[in-house]
Amino acid sequence: MALTTSEKQQFLAQPHVAAFSVAEPGRGPLTVPVWYAYEPGGKPWITISPQSRKMRAIESTGRFTLMVDTVTPRTMYVSVEGPISEIRASTEEEIHSMASRYLEGAELEGYLQFSQQLGEHATVVLEPEHWLAADLTM
């Protein structure tokens, strides 16, 4: 069953782990799990290392895809793809906001300390262009 625009946006706004996918010249797409943030009606964004393979591929292609799914309590997925609308240095607030979507308490604090050791982060914002979604629950 197809999802409405509102259902797609509400599902994407939940803190799922996304499959991030970006084309790479001469090989299949780079597909890895990532944390992301999204608010209905807004633009999804991720934070990554500016020196990462993901960033090189993003800069080369200018677009990427995020796909999130769940199988409990029902089988659903949403995929959103489009061009990059912005790349900028991540703020501490963005790093904290992203991590707190997925972690809390001591795990959150431990991750934030660890992320400081990783060095600079970049925030990459997606302009939603193409959506695919379905609720496969019978």
Side-chain angles (χ1 to χ4, degrees):
M1 166 193 268
L3 300 177
T4 67
T5 297
S6 177
E7 289 170 326
K8 291 175 199 175
Q9 292 179 351
Q10 291 299 323
F11 185 77
L12 191 63
Q14 297 172 20
H16 302 286
V17 173
F20 164 93
S21 191
V22 61
E24 288 192 294
R27 58 190 305 172
L30 170 63
T31 304
V32 295
V34 296
W35 289 348
Y36 70 95
Y38 175 74
E39 292 183 21
K43 297 177 181 181
W45 57 275
I46 62 174
T47 60
I48 60 176
S49 167
Q51 292 79 36
S52 68
R53 182 174 163 195
K54 290 187 289 283
M55 182 60 85
R56 289 190 303 274
I58 284 171
E59 290 174 337
S60 173
T61 64
R63 59 190 317 117
F64 67 95
T65 302
L66 294 176
M67 191 284 300
V68 298
D69 68 343
T70 185
V71 294
T72 57
R74 52 200 257 200
T75 302
M76 296 177 67
Y77 75 89
V78 171
S79 175
V80 60
E81 185 271 341
I84 306 305
S85 69
E86 183 179 3
I87 298 175
R88 64 177 182 275
S90 298
T91 65
E92 286 186 33
E93 181 179 306
E94 287 172 326
I95 293 167
H96 186 276
S97 173
M98 181 70 72
S100 66
R101 281 176 52 88
Y102 297 92
L103 303 171
E104 57 186 34
E107 291 176 335
L108 173 60
E109 292 308 314
Y111 175 80
L112 292 172
Q113 289 177 1
F114 169 73
S115 72
Q116 290 176 347
Q117 297 171 19
L118 298 176
E120 187 178 342
H121 289 74
T123 296
V124 182
V125 182
L126 175 72
E127 181 70 47
E129 191 173 74
H130 302 115
W131 292 77
L132 293 173
D135 181 348
L136 305 174
T137 306
M138 298 294 174

